[in-house]
């Protein structure tokens, strides 16, 4: 009988005051619920379904869970969300994005990060031979040639290094490298020219294959492994009758390289090399990086982070 009187008293008070407090003496809303404890995990509200499964939760720290008993965000749901009658917005948008941990926020795309380099024709570079597939000539790019570097790539030189070419180890010196602080996928667009003075020592092939090789190494290592090779087949100049003329490669042969490579650790580094592939040979150091008529740069390169 006492219980009936108590509930009747609550109902009468609610109808008069139109405000009910649960664990709150002075409610400030029609229904004012106050957490019993003050830890983040204290529950102010818990709703269970007929099977006893907790389907709605409000914690003391303000986190709300839908089908989540211990929400770790202001709104933490286990299940789909549906919207009705959303407005159609035109113009600039800031779309929502979902992170790997399931949290949702506004997606603001970052501008593409890239490294752009130019080597002017005025830069002196060493000559090299093109006759031995085991000899690699480093493309000597340095920070001096950096025009834009939003990737914040680093530059350096390994005085002594080794090149691993399919298990064959080749010694190399003064290897110029570029390092990348952020691991990820990168796209490289490299353009340069080579030329060789005089006639080749072996001209029986009437063609010269020149490769551009990309090597990669860990930041603390001087052991580079070849990742890719792009080969350009240069044809010698000929006269009106089709015969090869003297100095057949004494003009700028173009090399345009498109490659994608991946770094998996911070500050991994790459080094670029020119390599003889096949065909006509120049055994002495008469080949060099060239600048064709009308251009101002020997080498241009852009590396962008995908």
């Amino acid at each position: 009988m006492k219980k009936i009187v108590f509930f009747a008293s609550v109902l009468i008070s609610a109808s008069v005051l139109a405000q009910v407090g649960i664990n709150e003496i002075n409610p400030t809303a029609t229904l004012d619920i106050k957490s019993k404890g003050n830890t983040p995990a204290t529950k102010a509200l818990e709703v269970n379904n007929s099977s006893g499964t907790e389907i709605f939760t409000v914690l003391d720290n303000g986190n709300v869970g839908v089908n989540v008993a211990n929400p770790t965000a202001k709104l933490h749901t286990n299940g789909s969300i549906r919207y009705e009658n959303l407005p159609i917005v035109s113009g600039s948008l800031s779309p929502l994005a979902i992170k790997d941990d399931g949290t949702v926020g506004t997606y603001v795309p970052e501008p593409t990060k890239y490294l752009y380099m130019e080597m002017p024709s005025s830069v002196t570079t060493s000559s090299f031979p093109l006759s031995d597939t085991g000899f690699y000539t480093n493309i000597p790019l340095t920070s001096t040639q950096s025009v834009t570097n939003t990737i914040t790539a680093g530059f350096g030189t390994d005085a002594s290094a080794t090149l691993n070419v399919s298990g064959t180890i080749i010694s190399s010196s003064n290897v110029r490298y570029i390092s990348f602080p952020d691991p990820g996928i990168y796209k490289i667009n490299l353009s340069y020219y080579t030329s060789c003075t005089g006639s080749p020592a072996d001209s029986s092939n009437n063609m010269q294959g020149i490769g551009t090789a990309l090597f990669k190494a860990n930041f603390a290592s001087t052991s580079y492994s070849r990742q890719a090779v792009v080969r350009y087949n240069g044809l010698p100049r000929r006269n009106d009758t089709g015969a090869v003329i003297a100095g057949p490669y004494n003009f700028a042969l173009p090399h345009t390289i498109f490659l994608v490579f991946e770094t998996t650790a911070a500050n991994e580094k790459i080094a670029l090399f020119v390599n003889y592939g096949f065909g006509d040979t120049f055994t002495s150091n008469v080949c060099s990086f060239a600048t064709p008529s009308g251009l101002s740069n020997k080498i241009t390169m852009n590396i962008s982070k995908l």
Side-chain angles (χ1 to χ4, degrees), residues 184-252:
I185 307 296
Y186 292 85
K187 179 181 69 174
I188 180 172
N189 182 359
L190 170 66
S191 180
Y192 71 98
Y193 300 84
T194 59
S195 67
C196 298
T197 303
S199 296
D202 176 6
S203 59
S204 60
N205 295 281
N206 289 330
M207 183 183 291
Q208 184 179 53
I210 304 174
T212 304
L214 183 146
F215 286 76
K216 189 176 73 169
N218 293 329
F219 181 69
S221 174
T222 58
S223 299
Y224 290 80
S225 295
R226 191 175 69 180
Q227 304 296 302
V229 178
V230 178
R231 180 172 291 166
Y232 171 80
N233 298 333
L235 299 174
R237 291 188 300 182
R238 300 173 181 271
N239 59 22
D240 292 342
T241 63
V244 176
I245 65 174
Y249 299 102
N250 190 20
F251 66 101

Side-chain angles (χ1 to χ4, degrees), residues 118-125 128 191-196 249-255 287-300:
E118 292 180 348
M119 178 182 284
S121 57
S122 58
V123 175
T124 301
T125 54
F128 50 86
S191 180
Y192 71 98
Y193 300 84
T194 59
S195 67
C196 298
Y249 299 102
N250 190 20
F251 66 101
L253 296 170
H255 306 272
C287 299
S288 62
F289 298 104
T291 306
S293 178
L295 295 184
S296 57
N297 295 309
K298 289 183 178 181
I299 304 171
T300 59

Side-chain angles (χ1 to χ4, degrees), residues 117-118 120 123 141-147 155:
M117 306 185 72
E118 292 180 348
V123 175
L141 290 166
T142 67
S143 59
T144 305
Q145 284 91 51
S146 175
V147 178
F155 299 86

Side-chain angles (χ1 to χ4, degrees), residues 110-134:
E110 294 184 359
T112 300
K113 295 181 179 180
Y114 67 99
L115 167 67
Y116 177 66
M117 306 185 72
E118 292 180 348
M119 178 182 284
S121 57
S122 58
V123 175
T124 301
T125 54
S126 300
S127 298
F128 50 86
L130 283 174
S131 61
D132 186 345
T133 56

